[in-house]
Amino acid sequence: MNCYEAIDLMGDALEGGLAADSCPAFGDHLEECAACRNYLEQLRLTLAALEHLPPRGETSRRRTELIAEFRRQFRRDG
């Protein structure tokens, strides 16, 4: 397996959906390729960070307050 093939499988691997027939070659490649191991770890960290974001459409209370204050100031100055 080369790096391009491994990268194509990383999404499936992270989601636990890597096909059984791909697992040995994928694992072997990761053992041999530091670049792909690092890339896979970066993907894991990115996914973990994204899980901490608020759901789409939600906004923080502070953000709402700041926008309202900006609008009040803008009306005063305009």
Side-chain angles (χ1 to χ4, degrees), residues 60-78:
S60 73
R61 183 175 158 201
R62 182 68 179 139
R63 181 177 184 273
T64 303
E65 291 169 356
L66 289 170
I67 290 171
E69 180 61 25
F70 173 80
R71 287 182 176 147
R72 280 192 293 274
Q73 292 294 326
F74 182 74
R75 284 187 208 121
R76 251 187 248 154
D77 294 338

Side-chain angles (χ1 to χ4, degrees), residues 29-39:
H29 181 77
L30 290 179
E31 285 181 23
E32 297 171 5
C33 184
C36 282
R37 281 194 310 274
N38 289 336
Y39 186 64

Side-chain angles (χ1 to χ4, degrees), residues 1 7 10 13-14 18 27-28 33 37 41-43 48-50 53 55 57 59-60 69 72 75 77:
M1 177 173 291
I7 290 168
M10 287 184 187
L14 290 172
L18 190 60
D28 290 345
C33 184
R37 281 194 310 274
E41 183 59 20
Q42 289 174 355
L43 290 174
L50 290 173
L53 291 176
T59 185
S60 73
E69 180 61 25
R72 280 192 293 274
R75 284 187 208 121
D77 294 338

Side-chain angles (χ1 to χ4, degrees), residues 8-27:
D8 283 343
L9 297 175
M10 287 184 187
D12 291 338
L14 290 172
E15 293 174 353
L18 190 60
D21 61 337
S22 298
C23 287
F26 183 73

